[in-house]
Amino acid sequence: MADAANEEFQFLSNRPEPFGETDLFPEKSDENLWEVWEAIGFQSKEELGRFMGGLAKANEKEMLEVGRMLAERTKAGVPHPVCCTQMPPKNPVLMMRFQLEEGNQFGVHEPVPLMPGIERTVRYVAARPWEKRPCGDVAFMVAPERAVTAMAPVMEARLPEDQLGKDVPVVFSAVALTAEIIPAGTKFTDGENKATGLAMGDAVFLVPTDYPAYYDGRVLVKKVFNSDYCGQRCFAVQAECIRTEGAAPFEVHLLISRKLLGERPAVGDYIAGRFWLTASA
């Protein structure tokens, strides 16, 4: 944990400027992740805080290391030092950010989800670091004429500038912020329910929004599993999102709260909604 936390601290202390084809990013960047946690199934920030507290209590050794790092940085004259760590240390599900604040208060900030995903080798073309976390907006070419932008949970440590322009293995995952099942075999007609893309035959697609990691779209269910993520009951879907000539379909591991759907989607169904996309190297 110490090596990862130090990498993240160096990033927070010496934040790089955006680099690469940054015009691929929408102007806005959203670092508030509560909407994502709410979509996963948490009813309140207090409930999320209790879950984080349980992780911290169960991993006392790592928390003592966090305290030691913050104390060292305070002694070195770092104002309001920050330490980030992944919890639990084995098979982490989130990244916690701790900060020593006014009066030596120990502040715990909103965590970053860390999820399983589907690996794909893609061309790394741009990055824009976030202000308050060791995360960033990143862009990749997933096909010769198609770029996607996503959120990278640990950008500088895993996707540094020296990888720009290279083909890198990246794991893609997503969270459904809204979701609607379109049953397999649905007959589509022109002009019908254009908000969910039902007028586009059997196409799958991701439409960019005002924020880099957020998409409106319709995806095809290839596989589906039951999943308990951070104590929340979800469905995990292998979702086909983009089809282009000359490249394999772009697929992601899509997490959908059972509270959004109510019923389990079937292979061959479509899911229409808004999706939050992450990319981890």
Side-chain angles (χ1 to χ4, degrees), residues 64-75:
L64 289 173
E65 181 70 4
V66 167
R68 184 191 67 78
M69 287 184 173
L70 290 174
E72 282 184 355
R73 290 161 190 171
T74 300
K75 187 176 180 180

Side-chain angles (χ1 to χ4, degrees), residues 37-52:
W37 286 108
E38 189 175 31
I40 288 169
F42 285 91
Q43 298 295 302
S44 66
K45 293 184 179 181
E46 289 74 21
E47 181 188 0
L48 178 57
R50 289 192 294 271
F51 177 77
M52 293 167 63

Side-chain angles (χ1 to χ4, degrees), residues 148-163:
V148 298
T149 58
M151 177 268 200
V154 187
M155 196 210 86
E156 175 63 5
R158 308 285 174 79
L159 288 166
E161 189 171 358
D162 62 11
Q163 295 298 303

Side-chain angles (χ1 to χ4, degrees), residues 14-257:
N14 303 286
R15 185 175 308 279
E17 294 296 319
F19 53 84
E21 300 176 34
T22 55
D23 57 343
L24 290 170
F25 297 124
E27 183 177 346
K28 301 176 183 178
S29 186
D30 186 8
E31 298 188 25
N32 179 5
L33 298 179
W34 168 241
E35 181 182 11
V36 175
W37 286 108
E38 189 175 31
I40 288 169
F42 285 91
Q43 298 295 302
S44 66
K45 293 184 179 181
E46 289 74 21
E47 181 188 0
L48 178 57
R50 289 192 294 271
F51 177 77
M52 293 167 63
L55 281 179
K57 186 175 181 180
N59 294 277
E60 183 178 359
K61 181 180 177 181
E62 284 69 27
M63 294 308 301
L64 289 173
E65 181 70 4
V66 167
R68 184 191 67 78
M69 287 184 173
L70 290 174
E72 282 184 355
R73 290 161 190 171
T74 300
K75 187 176 180 180
V78 177
H80 310 306
V82 173
C83 181
C84 295
T85 186
Q86 297 179 14
M87 286 285 188
K90 293 183 178 179
N91 302 316
V93 296
L94 54 78
M95 181 171 66
M96 297 168 121
R97 176 179 182 270
F98 302 91
Q99 185 167 15
L100 206 58
E101 299 173 338
E102 295 290 345
N104 289 330
Q105 293 297 309
F106 196 51
V108 182
H109 296 259
E110 204 167 87
V112 176
L114 301 174
M115 298 174 291
I118 295 178
E119 184 174 300
R120 184 184 182 99
T121 297
V122 290
R123 181 68 53 86
Y124 182 30
V125 293
R128 181 172 63 187
W130 281 13
E131 290 294 324
K132 297 180 180 179
R133 309 171 195 263
C135 310
D137 303 323
V138 287
F140 305 94
M141 299 302 298
V142 299
E145 300 292 331
R146 182 61 198 267
V148 298
T149 58
M151 177 268 200
V154 187
M155 196 210 86
E156 175 63 5
R158 308 285 174 79
L159 288 166
E161 189 171 358
D162 62 11
Q163 295 298 303
L164 191 69
K166 297 179 181 179
D167 291 340
V168 294
V170 176
V171 174
F172 289 96
S173 55
V175 173
L177 306 180
T178 64
E180 171 191 352
I181 295 175
I182 305 170
T186 297
K187 301 298 183 182
F188 302 111
T189 60
D190 287 344
E192 181 183 353
N193 197 359
K194 289 186 178 180
T196 54
L198 296 188
M200 298 183 67
D202 63 354
V204 295
F205 52 88
L206 295 176
V207 179
T209 67
D210 290 339
Y211 298 97
Y214 293 78
Y215 292 86
D216 293 323
R218 188 176 72 191
V219 302
L220 177 65
V221 177
K222 304 292 290 293
K223 296 180 182 179
V224 60
F225 309 92
N226 294 328
S227 174
D228 288 323
Y229 176 73
C230 293
Q232 303 299 317
R233 298 176 69 234
C234 300
F235 298 114
V237 171
Q238 181 178 331
E240 183 179 307
C241 304
I242 299 172
R243 298 175 187 144
T244 60
E245 290 187 12
F250 176 66
E251 298 181 348
V252 305
H253 175 280
L254 175 63
L255 194 71
I256 311 173
S257 170

